Amino acid sequence: MTRGQGPTVRRRRLASELRRLREAADLTIDEVSEKLECSASKVSRIETGHVGVTPRDARDMLELYGIAGDEQEALVQLAREARKRGWWHAYNEVFTGTFVGLEADASSLRAFQALLVPGLLQTERYAKAVIRAMRPDAEDAEIRRRVAARMARQELLTDPSPPEYWAVIDEAVLHRVVDGPEVMAEQLYRMVTMAAQPNVTVQIVPFGAGAHPGMEGPFLIMGFPELADTDVVYVDSTSSGLYLEEPPDVRRYALMFDHLRAAALKPDDSVEVIAEAAGRFAEQAALPEKSLETSKEWGA
């Protein structure tokens, strides 16, 4: 797919433009809601991208802001395109926010994880064990559904036009045994394989680096190809996530990521450390030793 052309990013772009045009027209949200006979919360949610906007609502708002002709038609068309459904709607009980839509449209993804292998690099068995541990009360059917959704997300990295994916991972992830040494060997060889992809870079922050900015928690910085679509930082948690779009917040996390990259081992050295850890787990599990050349057998 062409990066930056999905419905979630189009909705975000339209929301930003509608807010800009309202402000240029010197109208408050309350004044717009009064003139269009709708709630102020609806206007606010449209402008923040939390809800979509119908083409008719978009046209009404644009007419109120004095926008007509080709400019109006272009934005109404953007409203139509923003209402299309992405593949992730098939998993709407799993993906409840806009995260996957933004991730799918990003041209660059900069991730940091201190506790787990990042979702885009997880094997099916590792993902199943992690999801079950985080949701001990979940039914088997829900676990299977969430694992399937995570595997579907991973197709992003092998897309014909994939994003640049850069993952920085704390060394602790290589030592935390998830579901036994066999699963860990499979998972770590999978990381070695993925790191060989031209669009994927993996770095390990060694224990010897001491305290580092990532100790605050995991995060993902999503970048987009269009200048109009500013970067978004997603700060992860077990129950929800926080989206940060204000320039000072984005700059702070970009600086944190730069410091993490500097503290981490070089990419080639990181792959070597991952492969060594995988070999140790393979030995513990009495599995045949895998070389880098044959590690592709250990795909997700």
Side-chain angles (χ1 to χ4, degrees):
M1 63 171 283
T2 302
R3 307 258 71 83
Q5 300 300 315
T8 305
V9 165
R10 289 178 183 273
R11 185 175 75 187
R12 181 171 175 251
R13 190 180 304 161
L14 178 62
S16 177
E17 189 64 7
L18 289 174
R19 181 173 63 252
R20 184 187 70 80
L21 292 171
R22 174 183 60 76
E23 292 172 349
D26 199 23
L27 291 169
T28 67
I29 287 177
D30 288 335
E31 288 171 338
V32 172
S33 66
E34 182 179 349
K35 291 179 182 296
L36 296 183
E37 298 182 344
C38 65
S39 67
S41 63
K42 175 181 177 179
V43 178
S44 177
R45 288 170 66 81
I46 286 174
E47 289 190 359
T48 55
H50 289 136
V51 297
V53 55
T54 66
R56 178 168 183 173
D57 283 345
R59 192 181 300 277
D60 288 345
M61 295 174 81
L62 291 167
E63 288 179 353
L64 179 61
Y65 304 156
I67 306 301
D70 291 344
E71 185 178 2
Q72 182 187 108
E73 287 307 313
L75 290 170
V76 170
Q77 179 60 27
L78 189 60
R80 294 190 187 99
E81 294 168 351
R83 291 174 65 80
K84 294 178 180 178
R85 288 179 173 266
W87 66 265
W88 51 89
H89 284 277
Y91 298 97
N92 59 4
E93 78 281 16
V94 176
F95 302 129
T96 56
T98 61
F99 169 73
V100 177
L102 290 172
E103 179 186 67
D105 249 4
S107 56
S108 69
L109 298 166
R110 290 172 285 171
F112 172 74
Q113 268 288 355
L115 300 176
L116 303 169
V117 171
L120 290 180
L121 300 178
Q122 291 178 6
T123 64
E124 187 169 341
R125 291 200 291 177
Y126 185 97
K128 181 179 180 181
V130 166
I131 292 170
R132 184 171 295 283
M134 289 182 170
R135 298 176 177 272
D137 57 342
E139 299 289 338
D140 287 346
E142 180 185 348
I143 299 294
R144 289 194 297 270
R145 188 68 170 158
R146 289 184 175 275
V147 171
R150 186 161 298 181
M151 296 301 103
R153 273 180 60 206
Q154 294 182 357
E155 295 179 13
L156 175 69
L157 294 184
T158 54
D159 186 87
S161 178
E164 292 294 324
Y165 181 68
W166 197 309
V168 178
I169 303 167
D170 194 280
E171 186 181 353
V173 173
L174 306 184
H175 298 277
R176 179 169 291 101
V177 183
V178 174
D179 204 29
E182 182 176 339
V183 169
M184 287 302 298
E186 178 186 47
Q187 174 61 75
L188 297 184
Y189 280 122
R190 165 70 170 172
M191 290 170 64
V192 170
T193 300
M194 290 305 298
Q197 299 291 327
N199 60 304
V200 176
T201 301
V202 177
Q203 285 185 271
I204 301 298
V205 180
F207 289 139
H212 57 71
M215 298 177 80
E216 186 173 316
F219 63 89
L220 174 69
I221 306 173
M222 295 176 275
F224 304 92
E226 298 292 333
L227 290 177
D229 303 321
T230 55
D231 290 0
V232 178
V233 177
Y234 179 75
V235 182
D236 200 4
S237 71
T238 55
S239 59
S240 62
L242 175 66
Y243 297 91
L244 303 173
E245 302 180 59
E246 293 299 320
D249 293 325
V250 174
R251 282 196 298 270
R252 183 167 73 89
Y253 275 89
L255 182 62
M256 287 170 60
F257 192 80
D258 286 342
H259 280 284
L260 285 165
R261 286 192 298 191
L265 300 174
K266 294 179 180 179
D268 288 347
D269 294 337
S270 295
V271 170
E272 186 175 336
V273 167
I274 297 168
E276 289 174 355
R280 290 194 295 271
F281 280 119
E283 185 176 345
Q284 292 173 29
L287 297 170
E289 185 70 23
K290 299 287 180 177
S291 68
L292 296 185
E293 288 74 24
T294 61
S295 63
K296 290 184 180 179
E297 299 171 24
W298 293 83

